[in-house]
Amino acid sequence: MPRSNIYTVLHKLEEKGAILRIDGTESTRYVPVEPEELIRRIEGCFQVALEAARQSLRQVSPQVDYKHIWNTQGYQSMLDSARWLIDGSENDITLAIWPLEAGALGANLERASQRGVNITTLCLANCPQKCELCRGRVYRHTVESIQDERWLMVIPDGQEILAGGINPDGETQAVRTHQTLLVVLATLYIHQYIALATLLHDLGSRRGDLLGQQTINVLATLAPGVISAEWLDRLQ
């Protein structure tokens, strides 16, 4: 560094709080601030700037109306939206999730659980044994998705839904909305799927004896072309 610039740089470092000036009788010395103190100063300045930006944006930006349906692409974008919804939940969260996404959202779900949020999880992979990835009340049942996609549904407090699909190539598309109809439909889908699978599991091999043939036929033909004929057996 050219000697002519040294005092200019020292002055800027002093303004930023990175060094301290010690004025002596014959000379002036500069010493660095302790690393931890410097980090705290930087954090403080950043928080002040962040709060100022937040207040400014609130004044110029209208509140987003999420009763529209917002589309998003990209796996990380979907996970970021899921984390935001989980972190903002107050009472309950309803989830339909695969282990990979359960692991990615694990820290957020754990914090929600510690806040007292009730978590209901439908494990779409039907893991044969309990694992540490899913949180809350976990129900493990097979759900046959379309075109082998992994699905993710996050419904916090029954107010909003994030629903996404990840195809085998990793391409991800998701929607997010406050629309009551879609929130209720998705919540009922998860809850009723859990209820049906639990009942079928409890009936086991007695299903044919306890259920009428007409009932079995109706259940087996609910979604022709989408769900295979053996889906009742895999549902348990």
Side-chain angles (χ1 to χ4, degrees), residues 43-225:
E43 287 179 343
C45 292
F46 179 76
Q47 290 299 327
V48 170
L50 184 63
E51 183 59 29
R54 181 182 290 112
Q55 295 300 329
S56 297
L57 288 172
R58 284 175 177 170
Q59 293 176 9
V60 300
S61 300
Q63 292 294 321
V64 177
D65 182 7
Y66 278 109
K67 288 189 177 179
H68 292 90
I69 298 177
W70 297 87
N71 296 277
T72 183
Q73 292 185 343
Y75 187 71
Q76 192 58 51
S77 177
M78 181 189 70
L79 289 181
D80 288 342
S81 293
R83 292 187 179 105
W84 173 262
L85 294 180
I86 293 169
D87 290 344
S89 62
E90 297 180 356
N91 299 309
D92 60 80
I93 301 171
T94 299
L95 289 172
I97 199 166
W98 281 75
L100 188 60
E101 286 67 53
L105 301 175
N108 305 83
L109 291 168
E110 181 62 28
R111 287 194 295 270
S113 179
Q114 291 175 358
R115 295 197 307 271
V117 175
N118 294 315
I119 302 174
T120 300
T121 300
L122 172 59
C123 174
L124 299 175
N126 191 15
C127 297
Q129 295 179 346
K130 181 179 179 180
C131 68
E132 300 300 324
L133 297 177
C134 292
R135 300 296 198 280
R137 296 185 302 274
V138 181
Y139 304 90
R140 301 185 297 276
H141 300 295
T142 299
V143 176
E144 297 190 32
S145 59
I146 300 174
Q147 298 176 348
D148 297 323
E149 283 188 336
R150 296 198 315 275
W151 288 356
L152 171 66
M153 286 187 276
V154 181
I155 308 170
D157 300 321
Q159 299 296 317
E160 188 173 357
I161 179 173
L162 171 73
I166 308 102
N167 71 19
D169 295 327
E171 295 181 0
T172 303
Q173 292 188 343
V175 296
R176 178 178 169 185
T177 184
H178 272 289
Q179 283 198 7
T180 303
L181 174 62
L182 297 181
V183 173
V184 171
L185 284 175
T187 304
L188 288 176
Y189 172 83
I190 295 174
H191 288 179
Q192 292 180 4
Y193 204 100
I194 291 172
L196 177 58
T198 302
L199 287 171
L200 290 173
H201 181 271
D202 192 43
L203 292 175
S205 60
R206 300 174 298 157
R207 187 179 70 211
D209 298 328
L210 298 177
L211 297 180
Q213 188 59 48
Q214 182 177 358
T215 300
I216 294 175
N217 292 340
V218 169
L219 292 174
T221 58
L222 281 176

